[in-house]
C-alpha cells in the first residue's frame, strides 16, 4: 500500500512509498496509524461542533500536516481573511499551501524552543489594531462582521512571529550585511554615505499615575512635574530627585542619534538645555519627561544608505526564509484527504 502523500519541491503532491530503511511499517503499526488518524479527525470534528461551527464545515478534514488537521472550515476562514486584507479572491490551493506552510513553520519553531504564549499572540493582535488606529474590540467586530473569527487572524500572526524569530535567530550570522557592500552600493548610485546629525544621551522619567485616575489627579501630577522641571539643572539632580520619589521612576541612560528619534521629540531635545527636562507629556504610564544629559554633533548613515542596507537585508532574509521553508516542507508528512 502506498505511504502518506508527500509534497515535492515544486509543491505538487506525489505518492511516496515508505522507505523500510527509514521506518519499518508493520501491519500492527499501520493499524495504530489508521486508528490515530481516525481519533484525531473525530476530535477535530467534535471541537469545531462544540465551538459553534456548522456541521457541514466541521465534518471534513482536507489535509493532515504532520498529524495535524487542516479542515475545510479552516480553509474557508482563511479565504475570507485573505479577501478582507487583499480584496482579491485567492485560489483554494494557494490558501491550502499557506495553511500548510504555517503548520510546518510552527512545528519547526517549537523544535528550537520558539513558542509564543497566548498573551504574546494577544499582544500582537492588539498591536495590529493599534497600527490600524482602532481598539482590539473594534478589530474583533470588524473581522466578525465579515464572518472571520479572531482566532483565524491570530493563527496567521503566530506563524509570522515564530518564523521571523526562528530565521533571524538561526541564521543571524549569514544574514549580516557587510558595511563595505552597503557603502559601495550607495557610492555607485552617487549617494552620500554619511550625513551630519546629533547624538543624545537621555534618561526617560515617569511620574506614575494609576489607570482610571480622575482628570484632576492627572493634572495635579502634571503640575508636580512642571515644578520639578524648573528645579532640575543636571542629570545628577534628576537622579537624586526621581530615585527617591514615590510613584516615580528614572531609567538608565540611553544613547540615541537623530535618526533614532521621532521628529517632534528631536525638536524638543534641540530646544532643551543640557541637564534639563523636556516638557511633561501625559501617556498611558502617567506623566513622562526626558532628561537630556548630553548632546553632541556626530555623523550617521545617510537615509539612502540605510535604505540600501534594509533592502539588502530583506533580500537575504527572503531567500534564506524560502530555502529553509522548502527544506522543512519536504520533510513534512502532508496527506490530502
Amino acid at each position: 500500500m502506498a505511504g502518506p502523500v508527500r509534497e515535492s519541491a515544486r509543491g505538487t503532491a506525489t505518492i511516496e512509498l515508505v522507505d523500510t530503511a527509514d521506518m519499518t511499517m508493520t501491519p500492527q503499526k499501520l493499524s495504530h496509524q489508521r486508528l490515530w488518524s481516525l481519533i484525531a479527525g473525530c476530535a477535530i470534528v467534535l471541537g469545531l461542533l462544540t465551538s459553534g461551527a456548522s456541521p457541514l464545515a466541521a465534518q471534513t478534514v482536507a489535509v493532515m500536516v504532520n498529524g495535524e488537521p487542516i479542515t475545510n472550515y479552516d480553509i474557508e476562514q482563511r479565504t475570507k481573511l485573505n479577501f478582507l486584507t487583499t480584496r482579491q479572491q485567492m485560489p483554494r490551493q494557494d490558501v491550502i499551501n499557506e495553511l500548510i506552510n504555517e503548520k510546518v513553520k510552527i512545528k519547526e519553531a517549537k523544535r528550537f524552543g520558539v513558542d509564543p504564549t497566548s498573551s504574546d499572540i494577544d499582544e500582537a493582535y492588539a498591536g495590529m489594531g493599534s497600527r490600524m488606529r482602532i481598539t482590539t474590540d473594534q478589530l474583533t467586530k470588524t473581522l466578525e462582521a465579515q464572518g472571520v473569527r479572531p482566532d483565524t487572524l491570530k493563527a496567521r500572526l503566530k506563524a509570522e512571529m515564530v518564523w521571523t524569530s526562528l530565521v533571524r535567530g538561526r541564521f543571524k550570522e549569514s544574514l549580516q550585511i557587510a558595511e563595505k557592500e552597503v557603502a559601495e552600493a550607495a557610492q555607485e548610485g552617487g549617494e552620500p554615505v554619511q550625513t551630519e546629525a546629533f547624538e543624545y544621551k537621555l534618561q526617560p522619567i515617569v511620574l506614575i499615575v494609576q489607570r482610571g485616575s480622575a482628570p484632576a489627579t492627572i493634572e495635579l501630577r502634571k503640575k508636580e512635574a512642571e515644578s520639578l522641571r524648573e528645579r532640575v539643572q543636571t542629570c545628577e539632580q534628576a537622579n537624586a530627585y526621581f530615585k527617591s520619589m514615590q510613584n516615580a521612576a528614572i531609567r538608565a541612560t540611553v544613547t540615541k542619534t537623530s535618526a533614532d528619534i521621532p521628529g517632534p521629540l528631536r525638536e524638543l531635545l534641540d530646544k532643551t538645555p543640557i541637564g534639563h527636562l523636556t516638557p511633561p507629556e501625559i501617556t498611558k504610564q502617567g506623566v513622562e519627561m526626558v532628561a537630556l544629559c548630553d548632546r553632541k554633533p556626530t555623523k550617521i548613515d545617510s537615509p539612502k544608505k540605510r535604505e540600501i542596507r534594509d533592502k539588502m537585508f530583506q533580500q537575504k532574509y527572503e531567500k534564506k526564509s524560502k530555502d529553509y521553508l522548502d527544506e522543512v516542507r519536504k520533510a513534512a508528512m502532508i496527506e490530502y484527504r
Side-chain angles (χ1 to χ4, degrees):
M1 180 179 291
V5 176
R6 287 198 181 199
E7 292 200 339
S8 69
R10 295 186 296 276
T12 55
T14 58
I15 301 294
E16 180 174 299
L17 295 175
V18 176
D19 186 351
T20 53
D22 298 330
M23 185 190 317
T24 304
M25 296 297 287
T26 64
Q28 185 181 21
K29 286 184 179 179
L30 283 169
S31 176
H32 285 320
Q33 187 181 58
R34 292 193 193 99
L35 179 60
W36 185 91
S37 297
L38 179 61
I39 292 170
C42 289
I44 264 301
V45 170
L46 180 60
L48 288 170
L49 283 170
T50 55
S51 66
S54 70
L56 186 61
Q59 67 185 357
T60 51
V61 173
V63 191
M64 293 291 290
V65 183
N66 295 321
E68 292 188 31
I70 295 173
T71 68
N72 284 322
Y73 182 68
D74 296 330
I75 298 165
E76 175 194 322
Q77 281 284 296
R78 181 55 63 88
T79 301
K80 287 180 179 179
L81 176 62
N82 288 344
F83 181 78
L84 183 61
T85 54
T86 66
R87 291 299 169 189
Q88 294 182 349
Q89 192 67 36
M90 185 180 287
R92 177 181 168 85
Q93 187 56 48
D94 289 353
V95 176
I96 291 172
N97 282 333
E98 186 177 284
L99 291 169
I100 290 172
N101 287 345
E102 290 180 6
K103 291 284 187 189
V104 299
K105 284 176 179 179
I106 289 170
K107 182 180 179 182
E108 181 72 3
K110 279 184 180 179
R111 201 163 70 88
F112 288 91
V114 182
D115 189 15
T117 64
S118 297
S119 60
D120 293 330
I121 306 302
D122 289 342
E123 188 176 333
Y125 182 78
M128 172 168 279
S130 179
R131 289 190 295 276
M132 295 167 65
R133 299 185 184 279
I134 59 176
T135 66
T136 303
D137 287 343
Q138 287 172 329
L139 175 57
T140 296
K141 287 176 182 176
T142 299
L143 292 171
E144 289 176 343
Q146 300 298 319
V148 180
R149 296 173 65 220
D151 285 348
T152 300
L153 175 56
K154 289 180 181 181
R156 187 168 76 179
L157 289 173
K158 179 178 180 179
E160 290 171 356
M161 286 171 61
V162 300
W163 191 248
T164 300
S165 179
L166 179 62
V167 174
R168 289 187 177 219
R170 283 204 68 194
F171 305 105
K172 183 178 179 180
E173 297 298 325
S174 62
L175 290 174
Q176 288 183 353
I177 306 297
E179 285 301 305
K180 184 179 178 182
E181 292 179 51
V182 181
E184 287 174 355
Q187 288 167 349
E188 283 175 10
E191 299 289 341
V193 177
Q194 290 193 313
T195 185
E196 301 290 335
F198 281 98
E199 180 182 272
Y200 306 88
K201 288 189 177 180
L202 313 168
Q203 281 194 271
I205 296 163
V206 59
L207 302 186
I208 301 164
V209 178
Q210 290 185 351
R211 289 190 181 182
S213 294
T217 302
I218 298 171
E219 189 59 32
L220 189 63
R221 204 72 164 128
K222 186 178 179 183
K223 286 180 180 178
E224 184 182 359
E226 289 281 12
S227 174
L228 288 164
R229 183 172 175 245
E230 291 176 3
R231 281 185 274 165
V232 170
Q233 304 292 313
T234 67
C235 282
E236 288 75 14
Q237 283 183 335
N239 279 276
Y241 276 123
F242 295 105
K243 282 184 178 177
S244 60
M245 185 182 297
Q246 288 187 340
N247 296 320
I250 181 166
R251 299 187 177 94
T253 304
V254 294
T255 301
K256 300 282 186 181
T257 66
S258 303
D260 303 322
I261 300 172
L265 176 57
R266 193 166 62 241
E267 289 178 16
L268 281 177
L269 291 171
D270 289 340
K271 294 175 183 176
T272 302
I274 293 174
H276 290 242
L277 310 180
T278 59
E281 180 186 0
I282 298 171
T283 69
K284 290 181 180 179
Q285 283 71 41
V287 179
E288 294 194 40
M289 299 177 286
V290 175
L292 176 61
C293 299
D294 194 15
R295 177 181 56 225
K296 61 184 180 182
T298 187
K299 287 184 178 291
I300 60 171
D301 290 343
S302 66
K304 189 63 181 179
K305 185 179 178 184
R306 290 198 300 273
E307 181 185 327
I308 289 169
R309 182 189 292 106
D310 291 344
K311 185 177 180 181
M312 285 182 168
F313 176 85
Q314 191 61 29
Q315 288 172 341
K316 271 194 173 186
Y317 172 84
E318 287 176 0
K319 184 178 186 309
K320 182 63 69 175
S321 174
K322 182 182 180 304
D323 292 345
Y324 190 20
L325 178 58
D326 287 345
E327 178 187 325
V328 295
R329 185 157 171 160
K330 282 178 187 176
M333 298 293 289
I334 303 170
E335 182 181 358
Y336 287 83
R337 297 294 180 88

